[in-house]
Amino acid sequence: MNPLGSCKDMHRLVAESMDRRLSLVLRLRVRAHLMFCDACTNFKLQMEWIRKAMRRFDEH
Amino acid sequence: MTNRPHPEPDLATQLAPLRPHLLRFARLQLRNDSWAEDVVSETVLAVLEKPGAFGGQSSLKTYVIGILKHKIIDQLRSSNRDVHLETREDEGDDQAFDKLFSTDGHFRDAPPNWGDPQATLERQEFFEILQVCVERLPAAVGRVFMMREWLELDTEEICKELAITTSNCWVMLYRARMRLRECLQLNWFGERPEAMARR
């Protein structure tokens, strides 16, 4: 088992971190996983991308 | 009497073309056409009743949308008992999302880098796709997502207004984010290999 967690577990934490503050332990685990995982890093960027887009939704 | 021209007719003329825009957002948020009509009418009236309140610091559109958001929040507060939130309508989602991963928990198709949002967020066509993607969200999920990302309410506040548990709220927001991501990937980024190639 990967000590840094599976992408399946991590993507959910990344998505939920947009809506709630994760515990310190979870935040560290996510951060460690992202350091070594491009797929989850891109997923996190996509979540942030969507937020940026929604903030500008009004203008269009 | 002063001979200063009365500002109202002018403001009303300026407001008229904004109405479809307001209605579009009200519908996306409330998912109910007659509520959307009501809240837009209330917004227009509120603006016309106090023509002096618009100081011109922002664009009229920004100002009116700000008022619309307040009216919608009031509407959501007063009607939360009438809103039947069918939160089970998309239970199949979680199994669908599981398919994104192999049995050992890796992404089957690694999410690509969508590139720098700056240029895309200047494009009207992108927001047309975004609108379609938000419309396609199941009503309850879409409403919660719009409350979070368009009205910019805290998760706790949303749960309170809708009388749902916080974990239910997180699940709905998670589903909304996953569906939107997929919809944008398919309908916007999928056609733009140059954005996907950038890593």
Side-chain angles (χ1 to χ4, degrees):
Chain A
M1 173 135 168
N2 185 342
L4 294 175
S6 71
C7 295
K8 192 176 163 184
D9 296 335
M10 287 301 142
H11 91 286
R12 181 139 194 169
L13 290 173
V14 166
E16 288 194 5
S17 72
M18 305 298 287
D19 303 306
R20 68 177 176 115
R21 190 164 166 79
L22 302 179
S23 69
L24 181 64
V25 175
L26 288 179
R27 285 207 302 280
L28 291 175
R29 202 179 292 169
V30 171
R31 200 183 300 166
H33 180 97
L34 293 186
M35 276 180 178
F36 298 99
C37 180
D38 285 347
C40 288
T41 301
N42 282 345
F43 179 83
K44 183 172 194 279
L45 290 171
Q46 291 180 346
M47 293 294 110
E48 289 164 356
W49 216 110
I50 290 172
R51 173 157 290 166
K52 282 188 191 129
M54 290 301 295
R55 295 283 186 267
R56 306 219 15 211
F57 204 7
D58 279 358
E59 301 164 26
H60 294 269
Chain B
M1 291 300 271
T2 64
N3 55 7
R4 194 163 55 95
H6 204 273
E8 269 177 56
D10 192 33
L11 196 55
T13 319
Q14 284 176 273
L15 279 173
L18 294 178
R19 202 172 172 279
H21 193 72
L22 299 176
L23 209 48
R24 184 159 62 94
F25 284 109
R27 282 202 184 111
L28 272 183
Q29 173 64 76
L30 295 168
R31 301 288 184 134
N32 179 308
D33 285 357
S34 66
W35 293 353
E37 296 269 357
D38 286 353
V39 89
V40 168
S41 302
E42 279 174 34
T43 302
V44 170
L45 273 178
V47 175
L48 290 176
E49 272 168 9
K50 289 185 184 164
F54 173 59
Q57 317 85 331
S58 55
S59 73
L60 180 64
K61 187 164 146 186
T62 307
Y63 171 72
V64 177
I65 287 180
I67 295 185
L68 176 71
K69 287 183 175 179
H70 280 110
K71 295 280 175 197
I72 286 179
I73 292 173
D74 289 347
Q75 155 83 277
L76 287 165
R77 281 191 181 140
S78 66
S79 66
N80 76 44
R81 279 181 220 94
D82 310 331
V83 180
H84 180 61
L85 267 186
E86 191 42 84
T87 56
R88 289 172 176 270
E89 65 193 339
D90 48 0
E91 263 181 347
D93 271 8
D94 296 352
Q95 281 104 321
F97 301 146
D98 283 352
K99 294 202 185 90
L100 296 170
F101 301 94
S102 59
T103 43
D104 61 355
H106 287 294
F107 275 104
R108 281 186 203 279
D109 289 306
N113 187 333
W114 283 353
D116 179 10
Q118 230 35 54
T120 306
L121 296 184
E122 299 299 330
R123 297 181 60 178
Q124 182 64 33
E125 310 95 290
F126 170 77
F127 286 93
E128 285 160 17
I129 300 282
L130 179 64
Q131 187 193 332
V132 171
C133 289
V134 175
E135 270 167 3
R136 281 187 194 166
L137 295 174
V141 165
R143 216 179 283 142
V144 172
F145 179 75
M146 284 289 282
M147 286 173 91
R148 177 81 183 111
E149 296 295 341
W150 184 64
L151 294 175
E152 299 184 43
L153 299 176
D154 290 340
T155 317
E156 292 77 40
E157 221 175 339
I158 298 170
C159 307
K160 211 178 86 200
E161 297 306 341
L162 299 175
I164 57 178
T165 63
T166 41
S167 60
N168 201 343
C169 219
W170 293 331
V171 169
M172 289 168 80
L173 287 165
Y174 164 74
R175 289 175 182 163
R177 295 185 191 287
M178 292 299 282
R179 279 180 175 242
L180 265 187
R181 169 191 170 276
E182 191 188 12
C183 184
L184 291 174
Q185 178 65 49
L186 281 174
N187 297 293
W188 180 264
F189 295 101
E191 290 169 22
R192 285 166 178 72
E194 77 276 12
M196 296 171 71
R198 234 180 288 131
R199 289 189 62 113

